[in-house]
Amino acid sequence: MEKIVDIIDAMAHEKNIPIESAVEAFEEALINTAKRCTSKTSYFETIVDMDRKDYKIEQVVTVLDDSDERLKKRLDRYISLSEARDIYGDDIEVGDELRSDFILEEYGRTASANLYQELQYHIQRRVEKVLFEKYKKKIGTILIGTVTRVDSKENTYIEIGELKGILSQRNRIKGERFRMGDTLKALLRYVSIDKEHGMFLELTRTSPKFLERLMEKEVPEIADNRVEIVASARIPGQRAKIALKTDYPNIDPIGATVGVKGTRINAVSRELNGENIDCILHAISPEVFVTRALSPAIVHSVKILDAKKKRALVNITADQKAKAIGKDGINIRLASMLTGYSLELNEIEGVTQRERPKEQEKTKNTDALADLFIK
């Protein structure tokens, strides 16, 4: 018995799980093994004493009234009152539990083999539970791993700690290619379990949250909450917009995010396969926020058509309309995603001419440069 209990202690340390979880696994393994040796309908209870390095299995049979419907199912965990009194005497009452020691060693090597299999199974379930809880807390954070293979469906498999991560093609930035041995950063979407892969981590590089987490790592003011990313929107690999605000009057949120000569924002852009990143100031007023979100276009005016359904009409001159829409509609799509408003452009007469402030020239990223303009 001492050897078995010592094995439990060793397995807990080897698998890096709490000793309590290992003991629970051992108790379940004992009960299931005892049922294999008797019947599935039998009922057992176990006591494991790690201090004394001892364990005990008891088979429990409950006394029922002779008319109880459960007796008709002929379950081994129940006995009728009349039968119990015939065996144990007239002192027996309905509801009594008849306990007897179950000696597993008496069932030979078959029982030992079954116990070993059951123990492995339940220990593995505990290991998976610990890992699941560990990585569940990391959902929404950036993980770093090494690429181990890329399959025929362009799914990229990454080794991350004790588990494998999977970056599917739809979660990969367009144009990216990875090879074995590459070090990769990605955002953890969720922890999943299936028959094909077992427990794995689903990763993404296309989520706006990935952009936000990269910004946190690159910009100290964002990491310590002096500058807040209120909203973000991305068309992965092409362009992104982030709305910033701060409660500190001595901090320029856009300047802090862009960095000297664009060093900070360009570092994030490189990680995102050259994605252009526009920084704008957030505004409480939806009209102002929409106006800023549509930069580099200069908007004439914004009218909120329906605040509940979030519909807005944007009045804009002909010379600014192309900028507002952007190539393939990227700019207006990003502005809509960023603000949450469905935007309708209304062309009005006139020409808008306005020079760009010199302070906008803070980054090599031309799209980010344009979007630093704030009306």
Side-chain angles (χ1 to χ4, degrees), residues 231-233 241-243 280 289 293 333-341:
S232 62
K241 289 180 182 280
I242 55 174
I280 68 167
F289 192 24
R333 286 163 57 197
L334 284 172
S336 181
M337 287 188 282
L338 189 72
T339 61
Y341 276 80

Side-chain angles (χ1 to χ4, degrees), residues 305-324:
L305 300 176
D306 191 327
K308 288 186 177 179
K309 293 183 179 180
K310 291 198 168 186
R311 291 177 55 241
L313 179 68
V314 180
N315 294 312
I316 196 164
T317 55
D319 63 309
Q320 296 295 317
K321 189 174 181 180
K323 291 181 181 179

